[in-house]
Amino acid sequence: MEAQRIAVDAIVALTDCDREAVIAFIRRLYLDGVKDPKRLTFKGLQALARG
C-alpha cells in the first residue's frame, strides 16, 4: 500500500491530475504485479503522456 501512495502522490504533484483517476490506474498496475514505487510512478507518467 505504501508503494501505491508514494506513486499517487508523485504523479498528482507532477501533473495536477485527478487523484481518483490516478489511484484507480496505480491500483490496477499494483494488482498486476508492479510493486516498486518508482516503477509505478514511471508507468503512471508514461500513461498520462500518451493519454
Side-chain angles (χ1 to χ4, degrees):
M1 291 303 277
E2 184 70 13
Q4 291 179 56
R5 187 189 62 74
I6 290 168
V8 168
D9 289 346
I11 293 170
V12 170
L14 291 169
T15 64
D16 200 32
C17 285
D18 177 48
R19 190 178 233 349
E20 293 305 314
V22 173
I23 288 171
F25 183 79
I26 294 299
R27 186 166 293 139
R28 205 168 347 148
L29 287 175
Y30 191 82
L31 292 174
D32 284 344
V34 181
K35 305 293 185 194
D36 178 40
K38 290 181 215 167
R39 193 80 179 133
L40 287 168
T41 303
F42 179 72
K43 285 186 169 281
L45 290 171
Q46 272 185 324
L48 287 172
R50 280 183 258 147

